[in-house]
Amino acid sequence: MGVRSDTTFLIVMKHTVFSLSVDDGHPLDMRLAELLHKRGIPASFHVPIHNIEGAPVLLPAEIRELATNFEIGSHTLDHRFLAKLDMHEALRQITEGKLALQDILGKSVQGFCYPGGKYRPIHCGMVRAAGFRYARTTQNLRLDAGRQPLELPTSLQFYPHTRRVLLRNFLSQSAWKERWPLCELVLQDGDWLDRLRHLLAYALREGGIFHLWCHTLDIERLNLWQILDDFLMEVSDWIPPERRVNNLQLVARYCEGLPPPVSLR
Ligand SMILES: [Zn+2]
């Protein structure tokens, strides 16, 4: 059962916002950008300059092309997990990643994403000091913009995780009280796609920020392009263009001053 059949009974659409983040700056991001452009869906691409894990990254010309339609955020200089680095190297990864991206784009880069979601509170301070306006985490099962823009949470990753992995992830991250209702909801479904669709249906019914994130290399390896396109079509069917935002717009509208949309019911 998909979103369409779940939500046809809706009479009043709550204030639901959609945001998409794409991590790692893989060259396949260009394929996703084409698909998003076709569906009229904005996104934030969080791009490292190199990837220490060996995966290829976008060329400077490709990053500039992507920036014509999408937000480009930083993902450290070399895709390093900050929590594993000493202070000096963590700061270098944050600041030099930003400067290198700004040199490529010729404009300020305001968004950051913690590689692997591995960071400590001190890194939030470093990110702020480097001049970033927000930083996205990998915390999931949220339909709000979090408590502060340097720890922006998400709803779900576009990835066929098992229930066991979701539960382990739930327990290993904080904000249990805020996340438990959605955890309970997604654990009801055995199939990952049903989980994703039911969570979207819930967000449409109750209002909130549906923040999806993905890696295009996963989409390619698992042959999920058609499934992703179908899901994005459902998003564009249900959420009007003015409520589809990139991460920077999300923070500007819902983190810094304005209340989150769940309170606008
Ligand atoms: Zn990453």
Side-chain angles (χ1 to χ4, degrees):
M1 187 185 290
V3 168
R4 229 170 271 264
S5 50
D6 283 350
T7 47
T8 44
F9 62 88
L10 285 176
I11 298 168
V12 179
M13 291 285 286
K14 296 287 173 58
H15 192 119
T16 307
V17 172
F18 179 80
S19 198
L20 175 68
S21 307
V22 187
D23 291 359
D24 292 4
H26 192 278
L28 284 162
D29 288 4
M30 301 306 285
R31 179 172 173 183
L32 178 56
E34 225 173 274
L35 204 149
L36 293 169
H37 193 59
K38 180 181 76 178
R39 297 277 172 223
I41 295 178
S44 296
F45 289 84
H46 293 107
V47 178
I49 304 302
H50 307 103
N51 192 329
I52 198 161
E53 289 152 21
V57 291
L58 293 161
L59 300 170
E62 291 173 316
I63 297 174
R64 281 191 288 273
E65 191 185 330
L66 211 51
T68 57
N69 289 307
F70 302 94
E71 185 203 356
I72 306 296
S74 178
H75 202 34
T76 72
L77 184 64
D78 301 311
H79 199 261
R80 301 296 306 272
F81 290 6
L82 297 176
K84 291 188 173 176
L85 304 177
D86 64 39
M87 303 271 277
H88 174 80
E89 181 60 11
L91 188 59
R92 190 180 81 85
Q93 286 292 324
I94 293 166
T95 52
E96 292 192 14
K98 184 177 199 283
L99 292 174
L101 212 46
Q102 289 179 167
D103 278 349
I104 290 170
L105 294 170
K107 64 177 186 181
S108 170
V109 169
Q110 302 189 55
F112 181 82
C113 174
Y114 302 100
K118 307 288 185 202
Y119 68 98
R120 288 193 292 268
I122 195 166
H123 300 123
C124 301
M126 290 181 184
V127 168
R128 182 190 289 115
F132 287 106
R133 196 163 155 192
Y134 78 85
R136 207 209 83 220
T137 68
T138 54
Q139 189 186 96
N140 61 6
L141 303 172
R142 299 282 293 262
L143 290 177
D144 63 292
R147 293 198 185 93
Q148 55 113 340
L150 291 170
E151 293 188 280
L152 188 67
T154 72
S155 304
L156 220 48
Q157 183 184 359
F158 192 87
Y159 188 90
H161 286 302
T162 61
R163 280 191 281 202
R164 183 190 290 260
V165 167
L166 280 176
L167 193 58
R168 198 171 59 214
N169 177 280
F170 172 76
L171 294 171
S172 69
Q173 299 204 20
S174 58
W176 290 344
K177 198 176 157 197
E178 291 95 325
R179 297 167 67 222
W180 176 244
L182 291 193
C183 188
E184 208 176 11
L185 180 84
V186 297
L187 289 179
Q188 286 171 15
D189 289 307
D191 180 77
W192 73 279
L193 206 52
D194 285 343
R195 230 174 268 150
L196 196 68
R197 287 171 162 160
H198 287 157
L199 192 57
L200 177 63
Y202 180 87
L204 290 168
R205 213 162 50 229
E206 300 298 324
I209 297 161
F210 190 95
H211 188 156
L212 187 69
W213 69 282
C214 68
H215 299 113
T216 51
L217 188 55
D218 291 338
I219 311 292
E220 175 75 10
R221 279 179 176 156
L222 300 170
N223 194 24
L224 300 176
W225 288 105
Q226 189 56 53
I227 292 172
L228 178 60
D229 191 29
D230 290 348
F231 185 74
L232 293 173
M233 188 173 70
E234 290 175 359
V235 166
S236 61
D237 278 353
W238 285 105
I239 301 180
E242 67 275 14
R243 290 190 195 159
R244 305 173 202 157
V245 295
N246 64 34
N247 287 189
L248 187 61
Q249 292 163 330
L250 179 70
V251 167
R253 290 190 202 172
Y254 303 110
C255 252
E256 298 172 342
L258 286 174
V262 276
S263 63
L264 297 177
R265 287 181 216 168

